[in-house]
Every structure is written in structure tokens, then in C-alpha cells.
Amino acid sequence: MNRLFSLVLAVLLAGSMGCATPEVAPAAASGGGTASPTALTYLALGDSYTIGEGAAAADRWPTQLAGLLTAQGPAVAAPDYIARTGWTTAELQDAIAAAKPASSYGLVSLLIGVNNQYRGQSVPQYRVEFRALLQQAVGFAGGRPGRVVVLSIPDWGQSPFGQRQGRAPATIGLEIDQFNAVAQDECRQANVAFVDITPLTRAAAGTSSQFTSDGLHYSGPQMRLWAERALPVAQALLSVK
């Protein structure tokens, strides 16, 4: 049984290993209606936690964040996504190179790193690649660090699936903390906002409604909490001309 769980986890967390051509997730079609012509454009970069693996497109946290911003101001269009389940920082870089996104987005978000941790990649390697991604994110925001927001890596060790793995959840949590510390430090140096949603994912432990059917990824209600935590930060960023 443990072998089966490990196989499924490998597919879910590292599904892109061996893919020669990165794929770009399409912009969320269920972003809540037609955006105003004056709505700010939004680019969401990341992995399965950005596209909300197993959840409805409308439940993705960037889509929910855009909806909350639009409801309270300022208006933000449904996000464009460059994200896929299983991507590491390096694979996201490859996908960005293939997609060639515009450099005029009004808002850019980044959430990446869980697959680096899962595959046993080093923290120093993550720092180098995350720094490069952060610089790219700022470029996509028109060179404005104040239009970029980074979310911390969720602690999958506290998910129902993570609890059933042979790897100690406490060890996974410590490693996630190390990766998040690097991301936060790089954001500080780049003057980019960092939003810590990891405690929310740890508090979800033991509550099945906070997870999708795979027991590994997060449901709409949990991602709503992420969007709500990011909301005041994004509002503050967007209020500065």
C-alpha cells in the first residue's frame, strides 16, 4: 500500500518529469464574467498550487483573488496562467521562455518550490532559480516590484496524503520552512511583497473539506483563505501609482 501511495504522489507532485515540452495552462475561463476594459491584467506563475489541481477553475486562488479585488476595487481581469502540476523552479523558467508573456501586467503572482523540496533539490539551487524567477516576475509587471506578490509554499506534509507517507511530516515541514525562508529573503531584497499562507495549510490538517479528492491538493475553501490573506497586500500594492 505504501508503494501505491508513493507512486500516486510522484504522479501528482512531479507529473512533469520527463516532459520535453512545457505546457502553459490557459487563462481561467471562469473568472467571473467579462472583465472591464479598464481592468488590470494579472499573470499567475507557479505549479499545482497555482492552478488548483483537482479543484474547479473558479476555485483557483488567483482567480478568487482577482474576484475579491474586483468586488472591492480595483478591477482585475481573470488571470493568465503559466503553471502546471509538478513544475520546479527550473521547469517554470522553461515554460516562461516558451510562452514569452507580455511585460505589461498590472499584477503578477508567484508560488513555486514544493516540487524542488519533494525531489530533494538543494536550498541553494532553489535560491538561485527563485531569484531569477522573481526578476522575471518584476519584468512582467513592467519593471515594478510593487506589482508582484509571492505566496509561501504550502506544507503538504500536513495533508491527508502527506500524513500517510513514509516521510515524517515534521521533516517535510522543516524543509518547507527552509525553502520559504529563502523565498522571503529574496523578496525582501527585491522589495517584493511576501504573503505567508503556510500556517493556513497546516491548520487545515484533519479537515477533509479543505482538500480535493486526492487528499494532497487544496479545495476552494482553503484557497479562498489564501486569496483573503493576499487581498489586503494586493490592494495596497495596486493603490500605489
Side-chain angles (χ1 to χ4, degrees):
M1 185 65 76
N2 286 338
R3 181 179 180 183
L4 175 60
F5 285 143
S6 297
L7 176 60
V8 176
L9 183 62
V11 171
L12 290 171
L13 270 177
S16 67
M17 286 194 293
C19 292
T21 305
E23 297 177 8
V24 178
S30 52
T34 303
S36 163
T38 59
L40 293 167
T41 53
Y42 176 12
L43 175 64
L45 305 171
D47 53 30
S48 61
Y49 292 136
T50 294
I51 59 171
E53 177 71 32
D59 286 337
R60 297 168 174 174
W61 73 263
T63 298
Q64 294 199 62
L65 176 59
L68 290 170
L69 285 166
T70 298
Q72 300 184 27
V76 175
D80 291 333
Y81 286 87
I82 301 179
R84 183 181 173 185
T85 298
W87 276 352
T88 61
T89 46
E91 287 160 335
L92 177 56
Q93 287 176 313
D94 289 342
I96 288 171
K100 298 182 176 64
S103 58
S104 58
Y105 281 91
L107 179 66
V108 179
S109 65
L110 176 63
L111 195 177
I112 191 74
V114 69
N115 295 293
N116 297 67
Q117 180 273 330
Y118 172 71
R119 297 190 199 178
Q121 295 181 1
S122 72
V123 173
Q125 176 185 352
Y126 175 70
R127 181 183 290 276
V128 171
E129 294 173 354
F130 181 85
R131 180 184 299 154
L133 284 169
L134 201 57
Q135 292 171 348
Q136 288 181 298
V138 171
F140 300 142
R144 298 170 292 178
R147 290 301 182 91
V148 178
V149 60
V150 171
L151 264 63
S152 65
I153 304 167
D155 185 354
W156 68 272
Q158 295 301 319
S159 69
F161 206 111
Q163 295 286 328
R164 297 193 292 264
Q165 295 306 297
R167 298 165 65 174
T171 300
I172 294 170
L174 288 174
E175 292 175 356
I176 293 291
D177 286 344
Q178 292 172 347
F179 279 82
N180 279 331
V182 164
Q184 185 170 21
D185 182 55
E186 290 297 324
C187 286
R188 178 187 58 79
Q189 295 184 55
N191 294 315
V192 168
F194 181 88
V195 178
D196 187 7
I197 55 96
T198 309
L200 296 174
T201 67
R202 288 171 173 157
T207 308
S208 60
S209 63
Q210 298 295 297
F211 299 88
T212 59
S213 59
D214 64 22
L216 173 61
H217 295 95
Y218 297 91
S219 66
Q222 172 63 201
M223 288 190 287
R224 175 81 175 193
L225 297 178
W226 305 359
E228 290 174 344
R229 180 157 291 189
L231 175 62
V233 175
Q235 286 177 316
L237 295 177
L238 297 176
S239 69
V240 178
K241 302 299 183 181

